[in-house]
Amino acid sequence: MKGIIFDFNGTMFMDSDLHEAAWLHLIKKYSSKKMTEEDILKNVHGKTNDVILRNFISQALSDEEVQKLSDEKEANYRDSVLASADHKEFTAGLREVLDYLKAEKIPMTIASASPKINMDFYFDYLNLGEWFDYEKMVCHTGSFPGKPAPDIFLIAAEKIGVEPENCIVIEDSYSGLQAARNAKIGTIIAIDPEKKNRAVFEAEDLAPDGVIEDFTSFISDYL
């Protein structure tokens, strides 16, 4: 392993519950469609906002309508983060991993389906600049296909100067793990803190190098 790429939401920061709540609120407000647990696994987490909105609200949404609805959802989500006493810190063990990677000068970055406005928020809220080069972070800009396409991880690997086969990717989402596989990432690790999705990940061979619950033993197990 020569480089490491982190997904953010549900991986570095355990906020899946807040995203799900924000999506459920928005979709209930603007659509009669129901969101199932399978939808949340396969059609929400890891997907870009434009894909989610057109899937659950209307395929006919204009780009302007998508942007307006996306802004509404993300503002609601960010407010919920700030209001939550349980969402103030990284996933357990991650801070120690980041310090280790920084000390060892191992190339690393973030590859997230989040829009730039959220990544800007995270860089401020969690002081991500202490470990990550903002210019090497990859987020959703609409300039490349979202997960499960491989583009986001190929771009991230290029930004840190490491071939995909020499990278580790840590992902929590079904679509993100598919994207890592499609990018031919060398080491693919799923994170599943509540043990909800392990059976699916293992059945479809989406986490060939293991499933973790947090980062508390990550250094000894993978680095």
Side-chain angles (χ1 to χ4, degrees), residues 1 3 9 25 62-63 73 77 81 98 114-115 126 142 155 177:
M1 186 278 299
N9 304 105
H25 174 77
S62 67
D63 290 346
K73 180 265 171 179
Y77 157 77
V81 172
L98 296 179
S114 287
L126 293 168
I155 294 167
L177 292 166

Side-chain angles (χ1 to χ4, degrees), residues 17 28 31 65 71 97 115 126 137 157 172 175 177 191 196 218:
D17 57 329
K28 183 177 180 181
S31 173
E65 289 169 328
D71 289 345
V97 171
L126 293 168
M137 174 269 298
D172 74 304
S175 297
L177 292 166
I191 183 166
K196 288 171 58 177
F218 192 85

Side-chain angles (χ1 to χ4, degrees), residues 188-208:
I188 302 173
I189 301 162
I191 183 166
D192 184 23
E194 297 179 1
K195 302 181 181 179
K196 288 171 58 177
N197 304 316
R198 179 186 291 263
V200 174
F201 295 161
E202 292 180 345
E204 299 191 29
D205 196 28
L206 292 175

